[in-house]
Amino acid sequence: MKLKIEEKPFLPEGRHMVTITEVEEGKSENKGVPFINCRLENKDGFVNQRFYLSEPGQPILASFLKALGIEKTEVDTKELKDKALSVEVEERTYEDAEGKEKTIKQATHFEPVGKVNTSDSF
């Protein structure tokens, strides 16, 4: 059997310099809370990070935007694509709405980076 892999692996745990390569908008499966999902990628792999547009999610989104150098109170999600930042990738385990345990990779501890040549980052 021949395997054809067309996707990068998930980034390992630790700090990584990444570029936002995709931004999707959606609503949570359980409560219908709006979110944006950012694909954070470099040459070694990627991690998807979902930002909920709820009151508890505001400080997390604010720190993400600050690391990108965005200080405005209103941002078009199209402005996020191709921006670079430094993130820590970690695993988090939680219980979903049906009581099942799930483990995800997530990006945290957002930090700004200097100018990045995007062709080098992924």
Side-chain angles (χ1 to χ4, degrees), residues 61-76:
L61 184 56
S63 67
F64 176 71
L65 294 174
K66 184 176 180 185
L68 295 173
I70 299 172
E71 304 278 338
K72 302 184 282 186
T73 56
E74 202 169 288
V75 179
D76 187 331

Side-chain angles (χ1 to χ4, degrees), residues 68-100:
L68 295 173
I70 299 172
E71 304 278 338
K72 302 184 282 186
T73 56
E74 202 169 288
V75 179
D76 187 331
T77 56
K78 293 176 186 132
E79 294 178 50
L80 303 178
K81 193 166 181 214
D82 298 325
K83 292 206 177 288
L85 72 157
S86 174
V87 301
E88 277 187 39
V89 174
E90 60 188 32
E91 285 191 352
R92 180 173 71 93
T93 301
Y94 68 98
E95 197 172 283
D96 71 8
E98 297 168 358
K100 295 179 185 169

